[in-house]
Amino acid sequence: MSSLEVRTRTGGQIVLEEAAAQKLKASLRGELLRPGDATYDETRKVWNGMIDHRPALIARCAGTADVIETVTFARDYDLLVSVRGGGHNIAGKAVCTGGLMIDLSRMRGVAVDPHDRTARVEGGATLGD
């Protein structure tokens, strides 16, 4: 990975140092993707094929701890963030351009407690889950 320009929350740009990106990558159980990585293009796609946004980074979260690490990282660097759940965001807001996309598509767990009449559903779950 080399250093890259990333869009901030307020629309500016910063150069993200390689050490910062590597630190985030090392803290994740999931993956940290950049343009050019093998699964980058497939991961950034959403159901609406007209959406062709390209985030600078994609955090493919494997669990809640990854989400916390990624949100903290984005806050620390004031990065523009988008969140991709199950991939059916028709308006395309799930994929930002130039920022950090938090991909929850691997987090598809569903737990139903019929006794308490509650359900817990992870952010990447789809109707089929």
Side-chain angles (χ1 to χ4, degrees):
M1 288 186 163
S2 60
S3 297
L4 73 153
E5 284 193 18
V6 183
R7 185 172 289 178
T8 65
R9 185 179 49 83
T10 56
Q13 297 274 83
I14 64 165
V15 174
L16 189 63
E17 296 298 325
E18 184 59 29
Q22 288 297 328
K23 184 176 179 183
L24 175 60
K25 183 176 182 175
S27 73
L28 300 177
R29 283 189 312 132
E31 301 171 86
L32 183 64
L33 303 175
R34 295 169 101 151
D37 288 345
T39 57
Y40 172 85
D41 282 325
E42 187 62 32
T43 303
R44 70 181 180 83
K45 289 181 182 177
V46 290
W47 176 81
N48 182 351
M50 293 174 45
I51 304 302
D52 189 26
H53 299 175
R54 297 175 183 279
L57 295 166
I58 301 173
R60 295 192 80 189
C61 297
T64 304
D66 283 359
V67 175
I68 292 168
E69 286 290 331
T70 305
V71 168
T72 300
F73 180 84
R75 183 190 63 215
D76 290 348
Y77 290 93
D78 195 34
L79 301 182
L80 174 66
V81 171
S82 64
V83 179
R84 179 185 188 274
H88 286 89
N89 183 273
I90 196 160
K93 302 291 186 188
V95 186
C96 60
T97 297
L100 171 59
M101 182 175 90
I102 300 173
D103 177 26
L104 305 178
S105 66
R106 291 182 168 176
M107 297 175 59
R108 299 175 61 171
V110 177
V112 177
D113 183 337
H115 180 264
D116 288 338
R117 299 178 59 161
T118 59
R120 294 180 187 262
V121 181
E122 291 184 328
T126 62
L127 183 60
D129 297 317

